């Protein structure tokens, strides 16, 4: 069996949008959008190792604490977006570069960033590639979890 890592997106909707007074929370509880939640549930169901990719914080293990709300996306052009160099450093520091296969359960902008970080020699899988939109992605993720069958 391959040593696999699943990489999921964070999401714009965060716990602080509902509970502004909330303090820091584990990353798996911070992102509450339907898509982000579905990606995290999928990753938690089928993978021993998974991370959330945040434009602000970089690679987050599900238990890493996100201290507060923020609004930042990889395609926003903001100077506050984490750099590829910092993501490469995090990947090495967190041991993410030791996996045989990376499964990216996310949209195009996250896929592009992951490929920039890990390079062309890495083995990738993109289970949601080919979906025509977020609704189709959600449907595919929820069906996989419900049927306990990983997406091919």
């Amino acid at each position: 069996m391959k040593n696999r890592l699943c990489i999921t997106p964070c999401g714009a909707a965060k716990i602080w949008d509902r509970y502004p007074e909330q303090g820091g929370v584990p990353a798996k509880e911070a992102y509450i959008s339907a898509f982000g939640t579905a990606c995290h549930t999928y990753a938690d169901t089928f993978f021993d190792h998974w991370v959330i990719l945040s434009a602000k914080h970089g690679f987050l293990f599900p238990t890493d604490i996100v201290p507060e709300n923020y609004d930042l996306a990889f395609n926003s052009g903001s100077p506050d977006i984490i750099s590829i160099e910092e993501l490469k450093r995090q990947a090495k520091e967190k041991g993410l570069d030791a996996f045989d296969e990376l499964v990216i359960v996310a949209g195009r902008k996250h896929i592009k960033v992951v490929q920039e970080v890990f390079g062309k020699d890495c083995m990738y899988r993109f289970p949601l590639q080919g979906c025509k939109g977020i609704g189709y992605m959600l449907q595919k993720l929820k069906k996989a979890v419900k049927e306990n069958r990983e997406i091919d």
Side-chain angles (χ1 to χ4, degrees):
M1 179 167 243
K2 288 183 181 167
N3 188 20
R4 306 179 312 150
L5 174 70
C6 186
I7 301 175
T8 68
C10 54
K14 298 173 186 67
I15 191 78
W16 301 278
D17 297 331
R18 286 194 191 144
Y19 307 103
E21 302 303 317
Q22 177 72 47
V25 298
K28 67 181 177 183
E29 297 171 20
Y31 306 102
I32 60 171
S33 71
F35 183 64
T37 301
C39 289
H40 303 158
T41 300
Y42 179 86
D44 203 34
T45 301
F46 298 109
F47 294 84
D48 292 330
H49 306 283
W50 63 281
V51 293
I52 299 165
L53 178 54
S54 158
K56 180 172 179 75
H57 300 290
F59 294 110
L60 296 166
F61 290 118
T63 55
D64 286 346
I65 300 298
V66 179
E68 61 191 7
N69 202 2
Y70 65 94
D71 185 17
L72 198 60
F74 280 111
N75 61 352
S76 68
S78 170
D80 297 327
I81 295 172
I82 192 166
S83 69
I84 295 297
E85 291 73 30
E86 176 62 14
L87 287 168
K88 286 180 180 181
R89 187 193 66 72
Q90 280 186 358
K92 189 166 192 60
E93 181 181 282
K94 293 185 174 201
L96 306 181
D97 59 348
F99 288 89
D100 299 324
E101 181 178 64
L102 300 180
V103 180
I104 297 88
V105 181
R108 284 188 296 270
K109 63 185 171 188
H110 283 80
I111 288 172
K112 182 178 180 258
V113 171
V114 169
Q115 289 180 314
E116 284 184 58
V117 172
F118 291 95
K120 296 185 182 348
D121 294 333
C122 192
M123 182 184 290
Y124 297 102
R125 275 199 16 200
F126 310 105
L128 301 178
Q129 195 167 21
C131 289
K132 293 184 180 190
I134 199 161
Y136 292 100
M137 291 179 189
L138 267 169
Q139 189 176 33
K140 206 171 192 178
L141 291 165
K142 288 180 179 181
K143 181 180 180 191
V145 169
K146 182 179 179 184
E147 296 178 354
N148 197 31
R149 188 169 39 213
E150 194 174 332
I151 301 167
D152 294 329

